[in-house]
Amino acid sequence: MTVSSGSAGWYLRRLSRMGPREVGGRVGDAVRRRRWRSAPPNCPNVPDARFTAVLPAGTIAAIPPDAAKRLIAEADRLMDGHAEFFGVVRDDLTDPDWWCDPKTGRRAPSGYAFDVPYRNEDAVGDIKQIWEPSRHQYLTVLAAAYAVTGDERYAERVAEHLRSWWAANPPLRGVHWISGIELGIRLLSWVWIRRLLDGWTGAADLFEGNPVALNQIWHHQRWLAAFPSRGSSANNHVIAEAAGQFAAACAFDWFPSSERWRSGALRSLERHLRGNTYLSGLNRELATEYHGLVLELGLAAVAEADAARVPIPPTVRLVLLRMTDALAAVVDNRLRPPRQGDADDGHGLVVDGAGTDRWASLLATGDAVFGRLAWWPVVTGTDVRTPLLAALIRPYPEKGTVPAVTRPASRPAHFADAGMTILRGPEKIWCRCDGGPHGFLSIAAHAHADALSVEVRHDGVDVLADPGTFCYHGQPEWRQYFRSTLGHNTLQLDGGDQSVSGGPFLWTRHARSRVLVADTSGTSDGGTARWCAEHDGYQGSVHRRTVELSAESQELRVVDEVRGPRRDVRLAFHLGPAIAADLVGNSAVLTWIVDGEGRSAVLDLPGQLTWRAHRGETDPPLGWYSAGFGRKEPSTTLVGTGFADGTEGFTTVLGFRGLGAS
């Protein structure tokens, strides 16, 4: 069933997931929006504003040459007007239209911000395409290129685009004043633009000497203080809002309200960093891309605090430390983390060129800030962001320690609170097993119906893949598919999802999973690692799955059991886009290429089911892989159909023995 996010039914379902406090807060927001429409305030006079949050001497010189080279190449592409946002290639970035969606050709309507129907693609276009350039992260790249080269062309282009944006988007007018996460990230970009342009003679006139810039900065912070994400929406959005406002209130501390804004943002940041993060260090949204976003935002906020000498609660650094250790624990041998839950390619701070590995960059920053542990994977890549952040974040008295914290002595493999288990075997086999909660908060906005799904890689190559996300708005059939049960490597009963969707970012009933066994040590001594979990998402039946990874046989064995009455079954295995499959009966030979060398494996599928390969189908969607937001490509999905009557399980064996030339 496709559910609109603008219908009366959706609003009722959304309201049902809120508590009284959240409802009261949203009523207050509605009253405030009406009042602001008729009485827009003015920015107070700021006669003596000065920017002092500069980089320490020698910081730019510490940037590795190859990272600087990638940065400059990216900046030159941007100077020529070329960019790509969510799979859409643009060549108009020399003079962008801030309200135009290049994908549909539509322009967002003007008027009071809170009247713009931004969820309606027919009226607005693809809102993500409109919002993304206005995060101004491509301008932080240009500003970083100026800092590295001293070439004023980059600085002048940044100034030109900021003045253009400020003129086109006065406070509270239009589509860019709707969403707090956009305002928060934009503020963080402005802080870094001003910092990176500090050596340019026009920097002060662009920012602190510019009444238009001061008005924009003041109104952004006033907006964020008035309309924080609340209750069931207090996910990664509230982190971005708090981090952006805190950064601006530290670096642009020019206004009478700056101290109040800074204190409020810091309280919110500390509270919600803890609330959004399990004690194990994994993000509670169980969406890996948002783990990266929140970690980036948190590190950037700490950098601003230390640059401004603003004390922050120890829990802030503690949460970021745990998040960094957790990231180091779950990545595969190519430093790729799980592909779990929603992903929209959101970043907190961008100062690097194309080809820079996001996850290696975060681990490099973690090493510089906290110190790497002996079991961490080795990071060989370089980036621009790490030396910039490390120059601002004050070192600890003893590198690698935080008071009263015991860090893992060996690499964790089972995260009980998040329900994530990583099985590692020989031949660089990596397997993620999902037995965790459906998602975060009552709406679980970024969750997928993926209970008991598995994700398997060999040497970093997706063999049994999580297909990804692809889109949020405007294409409901694709949004539904990529977060459906059939869109994951798990079992579907009676054609339905394990959890019930009430809209594109709303789940009204959540499947409950529990892990029964998580023995991850077996493969280290040549034995077998074993995981077992079950969920109750199919009312009247229980789906139990057991996964075993044998070091000796180099096999991954998956056994699915359905306890309950006879029901229709579909069991899906999504192959990565690099995998070719030759399916004969219930056995598939899988082949792929790694570093120019052919590889192969055998997937033996349950004989009780009838198997068929699907690839690139559209009615309905099936057989697709999304490497990033807005992008999709055909891939092979093997689907077995039949019945479950509770008498026997379905056994699947993925054999890697003799992995080699295909």
Side-chain angles (χ1 to χ4, degrees):
M1 178 179 66
T2 300
V3 183
S4 168
S5 61
S7 65
W10 178 85
Y11 282 108
L12 289 174
R13 286 186 290 274
R14 186 65 183 85
L15 183 64
S16 72
R17 309 306 292 177
M18 302 180 193
R21 184 174 180 180
E22 180 179 355
V23 171
R26 289 178 182 267
V27 170
D29 290 345
V31 172
R32 193 172 297 111
R33 287 169 183 152
R34 289 184 61 120
R35 188 170 70 246
W36 282 22
R37 179 200 297 270
S38 58
N42 294 316
C43 170
N45 186 36
V46 185
D48 300 316
R50 290 190 312 118
F51 184 80
T52 59
V54 298
L55 289 168
T59 299
I60 300 301
I63 295 173
D66 57 334
K69 182 178 180 180
R70 291 194 303 272
L71 164 66
I72 295 166
E74 182 73 11
D76 288 342
R77 283 192 291 270
L78 292 169
M79 290 292 289
D80 290 337
H82 303 304
E84 180 179 332
F85 297 110
F86 307 136
V88 176
V89 176
R90 299 180 60 164
D91 58 7
D92 63 341
L93 226 61
T94 54
D95 184 20
D97 182 338
W98 302 109
W99 289 17
C100 181
D101 164 28
K103 190 170 76 173
T104 64
R106 298 187 182 100
R107 294 191 83 248
S110 59
Y112 186 55
F114 298 115
D115 291 341
V116 176
Y118 70 96
R119 294 188 180 96
N120 184 347
E121 185 168 307
D122 291 335
V124 176
D126 185 334
I127 191 62
K128 292 282 288 180
Q129 288 289 342
I130 297 173
W131 276 345
E132 190 68 15
S134 289
R135 289 185 172 189
H136 290 167
Q137 293 177 324
Y138 78 95
L139 295 181
T140 56
V141 171
L142 291 176
Y146 164 76
V148 169
T149 66
D151 188 336
E152 294 191 354
R153 293 183 308 117
Y154 301 123
E156 289 164 356
R157 176 64 59 81
V158 171
E160 176 187 339
H161 281 207
L162 284 179
R163 294 183 192 276
S164 167
W165 193 94
W166 290 332
N169 296 279
L172 301 179
R173 309 303 294 178
V175 73
H176 295 300
W177 289 88
I178 296 171
S179 173
I181 188 174
E182 304 305 315
L183 276 75
I185 291 177
R186 191 154 54 238
L187 274 179
L188 185 59
S189 294
W190 292 352
V191 168
W192 275 92
I193 289 168
R194 176 60 185 89
R195 175 176 288 129
L196 291 164
L197 294 184
D198 191 61
W200 180 51
T201 55
D205 288 340
L206 179 62
F207 279 94
E208 57 266 31
N210 181 359
V212 175
L214 293 172
N215 189 49
Q216 286 275 350
I217 294 167
W218 185 81
H219 273 282
H220 271 68
Q221 295 195 73
R222 178 176 179 267
W223 193 110
L224 289 170
F227 301 114
S229 294
R230 300 181 184 277
S232 56
S233 294
N235 54 11
N236 65 87
H237 283 232
V238 77
I239 303 294
E241 294 159 9
Q245 181 162 36
F246 179 72
C250 287
F252 303 146
D253 59 341
W254 308 321
F255 307 103
S257 298
S258 290
E259 184 176 355
R260 175 170 57 85
W261 287 336
R262 184 168 58 242
S263 298
L266 182 56
R267 286 194 301 271
S268 177
L269 183 67
E270 191 275 338
R271 174 190 169 197
H272 290 293
L273 267 178
R274 285 189 292 108
N276 275 251
T277 310
Y278 287 112
L279 288 177
S280 66
L282 290 178
N283 183 266
R284 284 184 180 269
E285 293 198 74
L286 299 173
T288 307
E289 289 285 337
Y290 289 113
H291 182 107
L293 173 63
V294 169
L295 181 53
E296 289 171 356
L297 291 166
L299 289 167
V302 170
E304 297 305 328
D306 287 355
R309 300 192 177 279
V310 174
I312 59 174
T315 49
V316 172
R317 297 182 199 266
L318 173 59
V319 170
L320 298 176
L321 168 63
R322 286 175 172 160
M323 292 183 71
T324 306
D325 280 341
L327 176 62
V330 300
V331 294
D332 64 21
N333 66 296
R334 300 268 181 159
L335 303 185
R336 292 183 63 215
R339 285 168 51 89
Q340 183 179 22
D342 271 350
D344 71 348
D345 298 354
H347 290 257
L349 174 64
V350 181
V351 288
D352 276 284
T356 302
D357 187 289
R358 175 185 198 172
W359 309 104
S361 171
L362 278 170
L363 291 177
T365 304
D367 183 10
V369 172
F370 302 117
R372 71 184 305 277
L373 296 173
W375 53 262
W376 274 30
V378 175
V379 175
T380 57
T382 63
D383 69 314
V384 173
R385 188 176 60 192
T386 289
L388 298 183
L389 290 175
L392 295 178
I393 298 176
R394 291 199 302 270
Y396 293 104
E398 182 181 349
K399 184 181 179 183
T401 66
V402 175
V405 175
T406 301
R407 298 173 68 184
S410 58
R411 191 174 200 171
H414 176 58
F415 300 82
D417 47 10
M420 181 187 294
T421 305
I422 306 294
L423 307 182
R424 298 177 189 271
E427 293 284 349
K428 301 175 183 177
I429 300 169
W430 176 98
C431 173
R432 173 181 65 87
C433 303
D434 181 2
H438 174 61
F440 182 48
L441 301 174
S442 61
I443 64 172
H446 291 298
H448 290 187
D450 57 357
L452 309 195
S453 64
V454 295
E455 184 183 3
V456 182
R457 299 176 192 158
H458 168 262
D459 198 11
V461 175
D462 293 308
V463 179
L464 301 183
D466 183 301
T469 299
F470 178 54
C471 67
Y472 281 170
H473 302 281
Q475 297 172 283
E477 71 281 6
W478 290 101
R479 174 65 171 153
Q480 180 180 345
Y481 168 69
F482 274 99
R483 66 180 196 148
S484 70
T485 297
L486 185 62
H488 294 83
N489 297 316
T490 189
L491 183 144
Q492 182 194 59
L493 295 183
D494 293 343
D497 287 337
Q498 309 149 337
S499 296
V500 177
S501 172
F505 297 98
L506 171 64
W507 296 91
T508 57
R509 183 170 59 79
H510 302 182
R512 295 176 299 177
S513 302
R514 61 173 184 151
V515 176
L516 306 175
V517 177
D519 178 6
T520 62
S521 61
T523 55
S524 60
D525 58 4
T528 299
R530 186 170 184 268
W531 173 88
C532 180
E534 63 185 20
H535 76 83
D536 66 356
Y538 299 118
Q539 296 184 350
S541 297
V542 172
H543 173 208
R544 176 176 291 185
R545 169 169 277 185
T546 302
V547 178
E548 294 179 341
L549 178 58
S550 169
E552 180 180 359
S553 64
Q554 298 177 30
E555 287 183 347
L556 186 83
R557 180 178 296 267
V558 180
V559 179
D560 290 292
E561 302 171 78
V562 179
R563 301 186 177 187
R566 178 183 172 91
R567 303 182 73 163
D568 292 336
V569 164
R570 282 200 291 184
L571 179 60
F573 290 106
H574 299 262
L575 307 182
I579 307 298
D582 182 12
L583 175 66
V584 178
N586 66 316
S587 183
V589 176
L590 313 181
T591 55
W592 66 98
I593 296 174
V594 179
D595 297 331
E597 185 176 351
R599 302 289 185 185
S600 65
V602 176
L603 184 63
D604 289 321
L605 301 158
Q608 311 100 301
L609 303 177
T610 300
W611 289 90
R612 180 184 167 194
H614 302 261
R615 184 176 179 87
E617 298 173 10
T618 58
D619 188 19
L622 186 60
W624 295 91
Y625 179 94
S626 173
F629 197 83
R631 292 175 287 153
K632 69 180 188 299
E633 60 185 300
S635 62
T636 300
T637 297
L638 305 176
V639 178
T641 59
F643 300 95
D645 56 14
T647 60
E648 59 180 333
F650 303 104
T651 300
T652 303
V653 179
L654 177 59
F656 291 101
R657 177 177 288 280
L659 191 71
S662 59

